[in-house]
Amino acid sequence: PQSIRLEDYRAPDYLVDNVDLVFDLEPESTRVLCATTYYAANDEGAPLVLDGEDLTLLNIALDGRTLGETEYSIENNQLTLTDLPERFELVIETEINPKGNTQLSGLYQSSGNYCTQCEAQGFRRITYFQDRPDVMARYNVTIIADKTACPVMLSNGNLIDQSDLDETQHAAVWEDPFPKPSYLFALVAGDLAMVEDTYKTSSGRDVDLRIFVEHGNEDRCSWAMESLKASMKWDEERFGLEYDLDLYNIVAVSDFNMGAMENKSLNVFNTKYVLAKSDTATDQDYAGIEAVIAHEYFHNWTGNRVTCRDWFQLSLKEGLTVFRDQEFSSDMRSRACERISNVKVLRAGQFPEDGGPLAHPVRPESYIAIDNFYTATVYNKGSEVIRMMHTLLGEENFRKGMDLYFERHDGEAVTCDDFAAAMQDASNIDLTQFKLWYSQAGTPDVSASWAYDEAAKQFDLTLSQHLGATPGQETKETMHMPISIGLIGPDGEDMVSDVLSLTQAEQTFTFKEIASKPVVSLNRGFSAPIKFKADYSREELAFLMAHDSDDFARWEAAQSYGTLLLLDMIKAHQEGRAFEKDAPFIEALRKTLHNENLDAEFIALCLQLPVESYLAEQMDVIDVEAIHAAREALRGFIATDLQDDLLETFRNLRSDAPYSPDAKSAGLRSLKNICLAYLSELDDPACMGLITAQYHNGDNMTDRMAALGILSNKDVSAREEALSDFYSRYKNDPLVVDKWLAVQAMSSLPTTLDTVKSLMEHDAFSIKNPNKVRSLIGVFAHANQLNFHRADGSGYEFHTSRILELDKINPQIAARMVAPLGKWRRFDTMRQDLMKAQLQRIIDTDGLSNDTFEMASKSLN
Ligand code: HT7
Ligand code: ZN
């Protein structure tokens, strides 16, 4: 397969103003008529090259004349026409098979309803078109369908007309006044229920808000609707951005490759990010819905009104929109806890990507399959890049930059450079060096050292940065990063709080009139997405845990202290030594647990030890058994020493109040459930009783899942009872069944691989449904380090067979499963060989998709 390169970008040879589409919907033979007037964008007389994939061409007519087979060519998924006039009309009729479309890209069926997914390159699976984001047009769409099968017919924009055609068929005409690229086209048709509300914009316009779901789910839409209204208000207040049409539709479907899609005025969502009620959705689900609803809504300006020139610029819309949704969640919830959870996501998903064979810049330079680049780097590191600009410019200048960006580029398809230029011009802050964050892959290492001169009352902080080689980038230039710091006095008060601009390989910052030796707090708020190295003593970390005025840094101190201990314990396990307890750490946790000035969610986050995959990242050679043993042992020490405190907190936090998903109530549940999880480490029947009681009596899914999660790691009879009770209660509820699959796939018990294998055969599982695949196969490979990396390689062998099975059904999903095998360099030579053999097995498979080939071949090299 061929690589597409950013440096080869060329503006399109032809442009279009309008696209007229007629869909005659039939499950296995939908006809699509596409009428477009093309005009030459330059005077080169170039051929017109249209993309098309899995299409049956029925007819093609140029300026009213049907073309013969010799007048065009179709090769490698491209239809080419030559000798064209400067302006001409092309009418193309194609036939497609939505029912047989298991890739879930283009027009497909989910639960018998029609829906589309066109980002990134799904429109070419509907009709022949220049399927690239810099070709923007106004769409007029007619949908013809059976009245009974499809009472609902939706597309982008405004409904212009709806009429009966005969006894059985009806038609709807939709017109979108805003020019858009083909990836934002959407069509939905089927028998769906609707929940409706309205929103009055800041300028007084009424917008109809509609959520379409399968019948029976109407009572699960209220949180999504509230989140949508909150997002609309927030964007007006924070960025002065108002919604621009009178209708906003959301459709929830059960078969979806990602979380959701921001199609203009017709968002299509994975049901996971719409449906919620207290007895089926957890606090985490509620928070996810709020964030994803906001994310898709925010795309209306950052992505739709101003879109990407080409797919290398994907972070232009995704990084910026993730930043916007993170800011929204921070305003709706606890800012510190949101920051901590965003950083955890970044460290779990993006740092390993940046340090492995799939490392790529926020603005990639080449790809084989663009679907492989919807990555943590483009999304989450992309958001960090925007956040750093925000830190460097300040809120006021950042807002001016956003205003200038829209003033300059509304209605255009632009680049990351255009965004940075708007920020630079609005603020007069030079971003030349900063822009390396877009082009250089890898996570910078920053080391800090310091010296305090008692006599001169001077504190010198030296920071040095290093960015290692990544695939295709051997040497790197020095980066510009904002480093937020504090100098804390012995009384726990800040003597200095500042944002340093690190622009050199090594730089010393001098602070004068520092009355006494401070403890330095580094990278507060995680102001730059870097790996910090600093030689803190255990006492200093405990001090920061107790006093840092920056909550993120306070949490970070707890993580660093925990990591330091765990790495020592891992070493002890490897050397056959007994584990030693560190009483001051446990005492610091006890103080945190009882600190009434901290909110419950934050305390819960501080009590959580670094996860196994994070510990793995800190080791030269990953030892999954030692990591697991050490972490379990430290959990046991904490549970034993804090037993009374944990029990008291657990009891105090149990509540009879009706469930509410708000952040404060969720935080209290989170703290209660972490106490319960620690108590479960004690071999105490009374504690086991608390867990089973919470499972059976819990009045909400958060509490029930917390108890089930604890039980699923224990080889006790209550485990089987709870798992089988759970399935019989919820077997008709697909999203809850996904939790049942995931909790079993995550179990640390040695029988887990066999369980996962047998669940593949269970009625509850379907390999065609991405949510099921992610819950069972994805969770096993991505989130069960201990069992996936079993020494005999059976985890790798099983996983590879699933990738190959999936590749024939849905290559996008198959390709997303490859990354765990790409971590082979980090393991012992025995596991390395086993993992490489499986990657080779993938590459050697005949008929492999480009998506999976790209991921496997890059992972092996
Ligand atoms: N912009 C959306 C991306 C997306 C997508 C990409 C490839 C394949 C399927 C997909 N579904 C949605 C999602 C977002 O970031 O908002
Ligand atoms: Zn997005």
Side-chain angles (χ1 to χ4, degrees), residues 183-244:
Y183 83 86
L184 289 173
F185 165 79
L187 177 154
V188 169
D191 187 3
L192 294 158
M194 180 183 74
V195 173
E196 202 171 12
D197 206 335
T198 59
Y199 177 79
K200 196 178 270 303
T201 67
S202 51
S203 70
R205 274 185 314 103
D206 287 316
V207 181
D208 287 334
L209 311 177
R210 297 182 184 155
I211 300 183
F212 293 86
V213 292
E214 283 181 34
H215 292 280
N217 283 329
E218 297 88 325
D219 63 342
R220 299 182 187 202
C221 299
S222 56
W223 182 253
M225 190 65 93
E226 289 313 310
S227 303
L228 176 59
K229 288 189 284 182
S231 313
M232 297 176 87
K233 187 160 186 288
W234 184 89
D235 220 11
E236 290 172 352
E237 288 171 356
R238 174 82 184 260
F239 287 108
L241 297 172
E242 202 177 298
Y243 187 58
D244 50 13

Side-chain angles (χ1 to χ4, degrees), residues 119 260 262 295-296 299 317-318 321-322 379:
E119 189 174 359
E262 70 264 22
H295 180 97
E296 305 314 325
H299 267 315
K317 73 179 179 83
E318 296 305 348
T321 306
V322 171
Y379 275 64

Side-chain angles (χ1 to χ4, degrees), residues 17-21 123 136-142 154-161 172-187 243-249 262-267 300 303-305:
D17 290 330
N18 297 293
V19 177
D20 285 299
L21 288 162
F123 193 74
M136 297 174 80
R138 288 190 180 80
Y139 284 64
N140 180 296
V141 179
T142 302
L154 307 171
S155 191
N156 316 86
N158 303 313
L159 180 64
I160 299 301
D161 191 29
V173 183
W174 290 82
E175 198 172 73
D176 184 354
F178 289 96
K180 63 170 178 286
S182 52
Y183 83 86
L184 289 173
F185 165 79
L187 177 154
Y243 187 58
D244 50 13
L245 282 164
D246 300 333
L247 179 61
Y248 194 87
N249 285 322
E262 70 264 22
N263 315 301
K264 183 79 188 186
S265 77
L266 177 51
N267 289 184
N300 188 52
N304 300 2
R305 289 285 291 250

Side-chain angles (χ1 to χ4, degrees), residues 103-105 117-121 183-184 256-263 268 292 295-296 299 311 314 317-318 321-322 370-372 374 379 812 816:
Q103 297 190 22
L104 315 185
S105 166
Q117 172 54 40
C118 292
E119 189 174 359
Q121 297 178 333
Y183 83 86
L184 289 173
F256 202 71
N257 279 350
M258 299 256 283
M261 179 62 212
E262 70 264 22
N263 315 301
V268 178
V292 178
H295 180 97
E296 305 314 325
H299 267 315
W311 290 120
L314 184 56
K317 73 179 179 83
E318 296 305 348
T321 306
V322 171
I370 185 56
D371 294 324
N372 287 332
Y374 286 76
Y379 275 64
Q812 281 183 29
R816 286 181 171 266

